[in-house]
Amino acid sequence: MTPATHAAVAALVATRFRNLALAVVLAFGLHFVLDAVYHFEAFYELSVAGAWSYERAMVALFGGLGLLAAPVFVWLWRKNRQVWWFACYAFLLCLVAFEPLPAWRLGWATLLSLLWWLLSPNALGRRWVLCSFVAYLPDCLKKIIPAMGWLHDATHYNSELELGDWVSLLARGRWKINPNARIFDLYYQIGYSLEILLEAAILFGCLYWLVRRLSVADLPAVDNQRNPVDERSLVRK
């Protein structure tokens, strides 16, 4: 999953659980749960005879996700500036993934998160940033701490079997075609598209939930208030 998706899910957890320690632990653990879901890292295995490097594939994928996010950012700006501000942090965190050196990646993630934590307008925004940073830590530490790397690899979905394999199996009764031909195969293209849409649904769904949550946060208090209409102004008929 992209850092933005991990961050959005972590922010949702930070909002749902009042106990900060519990929220941090859950945000960290959910990293591995999310990585077990099919997601568009499958594109890293395009392997069109060396035509695309790992970095080029990442640029194309993150760029595509950015295009999908453009109208969402416009909507967030209009609906809730606090969620918009957090979404900017989540997507900037994606740039950290382009750093090849693990120690530098951890350093950039720490610096960005610290800056956003300091600039966050309130305690809730700082909770979002803290839990998001913790949720992204496994990707920073997997090559620094061997045990973390083992856990990450053990829980990550098997990239040799994609949704395109299942679509191909259902459509024509066979799967696992040559990796170099997958990008040109209609059924694998459908599978890749489904993986992108699945990740986008998780990411944008969490951001939408944050907007809705903040929009209705005061409803319980309103419901407990007395009817604002002055009873003495009512006319009995």
Side-chain angles (χ1 to χ4, degrees):
M1 293 283 178
T2 64
T5 305
H6 287 300
V9 172
L12 189 152
V13 170
T15 305
R16 290 291 296 175
F17 294 90
R18 292 181 180 273
N19 187 302
L20 181 58
L22 176 60
V24 167
V25 171
L26 288 175
F28 182 83
L30 281 173
H31 178 103
F32 304 99
V33 176
L34 286 173
D35 274 356
V37 177
Y38 281 108
H39 52 286
F40 70 20
E41 285 181 12
F43 273 90
Y44 297 162
E45 305 299 331
L46 290 178
S47 304
V48 185
W52 277 37
S53 65
Y54 178 84
E55 290 76 14
R56 185 179 176 185
M58 286 183 66
V59 170
L61 294 172
F62 282 67
L65 187 62
L67 290 176
L68 289 175
V72 177
F73 268 78
V74 173
W75 179 79
L76 288 175
W77 175 263
R78 297 178 59 185
K79 290 293 184 180
N80 192 293
R81 299 291 173 83
Q82 182 175 357
V83 180
W84 174 86
W85 178 247
F86 169 76
C88 290
Y89 161 76
F91 275 80
L92 284 174
L93 199 59
C94 290
L95 298 179
V96 177
F98 288 91
E99 172 55 59
L101 299 177
W104 277 98
R105 181 183 299 183
L106 176 60
W108 286 120
T110 302
L111 181 61
L112 176 64
S113 301
L114 180 59
L115 175 64
W116 235 258
W117 187 88
L118 292 173
L119 295 177
S120 294
N122 53 42
L124 180 59
R126 291 190 288 272
R127 285 171 63 96
W128 289 351
V129 172
L130 175 61
C131 288
S132 297
F133 171 70
V134 171
Y136 182 58
L137 273 180
D139 280 343
C140 297
L141 300 177
K142 62 184 179 182
K143 293 185 178 181
I144 299 176
I145 302 176
M148 185 70 67
W150 175 87
L151 179 61
H152 189 275
D153 292 341
T155 55
H156 202 283
Y157 85 104
N158 182 2
S159 61
E160 294 180 359
L161 192 63
E162 311 297 345
L163 286 182
D165 287 301
W166 295 102
V167 175
S168 177
L169 178 64
L170 292 173
R172 61 189 173 198
R174 67 186 183 91
W175 60 8
K176 292 185 179 180
I177 68 172
N178 190 308
N180 290 339
R182 289 182 176 183
I183 191 60
F184 305 108
D185 185 90
L186 173 62
Y187 301 114
Y188 280 85
Q189 291 172 358
I190 294 174
Y192 290 139
S193 299
L194 290 174
E195 291 182 5
I196 292 176
L197 290 175
L198 177 59
E199 176 145 5
I202 296 172
L203 169 57
F204 300 138
C206 288
L207 294 176
Y208 175 79
W209 188 93
L210 290 176
V211 171
R212 292 294 299 167
R213 173 68 178 176
L214 294 182
S215 299
V216 301
D218 295 330
L219 283 184
V222 173
D223 291 339
N224 291 330
Q225 291 177 356
R226 296 189 54 173
N227 191 327
V229 178
D230 188 346
E231 295 179 357
R232 289 174 295 180
S233 68
L234 297 178
V235 177
R236 185 181 298 276
K237 295 186 178 180

